[in-house]
């Protein structure tokens, strides 16, 4: 069984002295009320028992530069690439002037998509909902090939609740009820991670499961005005209303919001706090092409494999330094580089209604062969 749930270090997905019930209408059913130390096991079992969806999540080919998928897709067909560089991306690349690569020029996380919402709770506390689909490296393993993972995460943290009371948290991917909570900071501290939990992680399929699907986007995505920045599904700097929750609440409204119900959650006599504003990050996947191995100094003949982020795209290449076009040599399989060579290649997608073909940036790899 490939799916796994990794509790946060030192605890279960909820505080150890609380009890939690998870509800996700029409898809997830109900978990019995049990000590939180057992919730990780139950959530793991529920994830593994889910029936197959009509259109499962997908991932693109692995980028040999980073070792992570070129894109991830949700069950609605939305494809997002790693958000490495730009004002609308939160991941840190040590040297933005060079392509991301691992090890060396990649941070500790690779963000494909994220959405977060915040509210104020009693006594000036904070309520935080974090939803992510991101890549990273297993703890203590570092950027090793077999330590890469993709994780689907739901995190809920709430401060300053009434000790011993019960609270219900509604969010786009379900409902959690927390019983007998602590007071003070992190009265609720819940994390559900679904993905590979122990190296070697031979594939990324485990992280494509979990409740976080399909992904939220600004509710103005695709609108003629007021939409997110071009090429993105949101802007993490701007809280905005969203769409995408697969669930409806008791009133028939989609759960595109973050709500907490319970005694004095918002202050004396305020038993409900709610927001429908989310900070959303996600970069629409463009067509890209890759070479494996990459250029550099190589000893002896090397076999070179080319790939595109869209498996249906065609790749054309040259080895004489000229720019590749649709009339250049079509890539049909791995080929040998036996002497120092400048390889240039481009991927062309299927033609659209107007006859135009999506085109990747031209990639240049220079091989120095001893």
């Amino acid at each position: 069984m490939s799916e796994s749930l990794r509790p946060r270090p030192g605890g279960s997905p909820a505080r150890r002295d609380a009890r939690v019930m998870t509800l996700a209408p029409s898809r997830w059913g109900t978990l019995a009320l049990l000590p939180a130390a057992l919730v990780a096991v139950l959530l793991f079992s529920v994830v593994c028992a889910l029936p197959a969806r009509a259109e499962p999540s997908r991932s693109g080919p692995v980028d040999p530069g980073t070792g992570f998928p070129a894109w991830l897709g949700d069950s609605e067909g939305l494809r997002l690439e790693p958000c490495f560089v730009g004002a609308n991306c939160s991941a840190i690349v040590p040297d933005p002037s060079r392509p991301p690569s691992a090890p060396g020029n990649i941070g500790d996380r690779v963000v494909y998509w994220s959405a977060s919402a915040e509210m104020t709770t009693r006594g000036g506390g904070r309520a935080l909902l974090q939803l992510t689909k991101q890549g990273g490296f297993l703890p203590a393993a570092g950027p090793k090939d077999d330590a890469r993972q993709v994780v689907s995460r739901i995190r809920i943290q709430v401060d300053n609740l009434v000790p011993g009371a019960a609270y219900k948290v509604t969010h786009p991917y379900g409902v959690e009820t927390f019983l007998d909570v602590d007071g003070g900071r992190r009265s609720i501290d819940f994390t559900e991670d679904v993905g590979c939990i122990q190296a070697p992680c031979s594939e990324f399929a485990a992280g494509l499961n979990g409740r976080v699907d399909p992904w939220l986007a600004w509710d103005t995505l695709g609108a003629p005005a007021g939409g997110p920045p071009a090429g993105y599904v949101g802007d993490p700097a701007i809280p905005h209303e969203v769409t995408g929750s697969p669930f409806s609440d008791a009133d028939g409204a989609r759960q595109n919001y973050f709500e907490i119900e319970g005694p004095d959650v918002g202050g004396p006599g305020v038993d409900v706090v709610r927001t429908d504003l989310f900070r959303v990050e996600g970069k629409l996947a463009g067509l890209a092409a890759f070479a494996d191995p990459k250029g550099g100094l190589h000893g002896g003949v090397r076999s070179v494999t080319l790939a595109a982020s869209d498996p249906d795209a065609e790749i054309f290449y040259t080895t004489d330094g000229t720019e590749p076009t649709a009339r250049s040599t079509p890539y049909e399989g791995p080929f040998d580089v036996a002497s120092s060579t400048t390889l240039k290649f481009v991927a062309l997608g299927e033609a659209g209604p107007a006859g135009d073909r999506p085109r990747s940036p031209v990639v240049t790899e220079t091989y120095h062969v001893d």
Side-chain angles (χ1 to χ4, degrees), residues 100-337:
S101 61
N105 198 37
I106 194 172
D108 59 358
R109 64 193 183 107
V110 177
V111 179
Y112 290 89
W113 171 88
S114 71
S116 63
E118 294 188 31
M119 299 183 290
T120 300
T121 60
R122 66 195 295 264
R126 183 180 75 152
L128 172 67
L129 172 67
Q130 287 184 324
L131 308 165
T132 60
K133 189 77 74 169
Q134 67 183 45
F137 302 94
L138 289 172
K144 300 178 181 178
D145 288 343
D146 64 356
R148 290 171 172 83
Q149 62 171 330
V150 170
V151 170
S152 176
R153 169 173 292 175
I154 298 175
R155 174 168 289 173
I156 302 168
Q157 296 173 332
V158 188
D159 298 336
N160 298 348
L161 299 180
V162 176
Y167 292 84
K168 183 174 78 171
V169 178
T170 302
H171 57 83
Y173 300 105
V175 178
E176 331 290 336
T177 299
F178 299 91
L179 306 179
D180 192 23
V181 303
D182 283 347
R185 185 171 182 269
R186 303 281 173 85
S187 299
I188 294 174
D189 193 5
F190 172 94
T191 295
E192 176 187 314
D193 281 349
V194 177
C196 177
I197 63 172
Q198 183 175 354
C201 297
S202 59
E203 58 181 36
F204 297 100
L208 298 177
N209 295 297
R211 290 189 282 165
V212 182
D213 186 86
W215 302 331
L216 305 181
W218 278 17
D219 63 348
T220 53
L221 179 64
Y232 296 85
V233 297
D235 183 340
I238 302 175
H240 201 281
E241 294 181 352
V242 297
T243 185
S245 171
F247 301 124
S248 298
D249 60 22
D251 296 325
R254 289 290 182 176
Q255 292 177 193
N256 294 310
Y257 55 83
F258 175 33
E259 179 181 273
I260 306 173
E261 300 178 58
D264 297 341
V265 61
V270 180
D271 295 340
V272 179
V273 291
R274 173 171 169 164
T275 182
D276 56 4
L277 300 179
F278 288 76
R279 298 178 183 270
V280 179
E281 176 179 354
K283 185 176 183 180
L284 295 171
L287 188 57
F290 316 98
D292 187 19
K294 299 177 72 66
L297 181 62
H298 298 276
V301 178
R302 295 306 303 266
S303 177
V304 176
T305 299
L306 304 182
S309 56
D310 182 349
D312 295 324
E314 293 182 281
I315 301 174
F316 299 89
Y317 69 95
T318 66
T319 56
D320 59 3
T322 60
E323 292 296 297
T325 69
R327 296 182 179 180
S328 301
T329 303
Y331 175 73
E332 297 178 345
F335 55 89
D336 290 339
V337 174

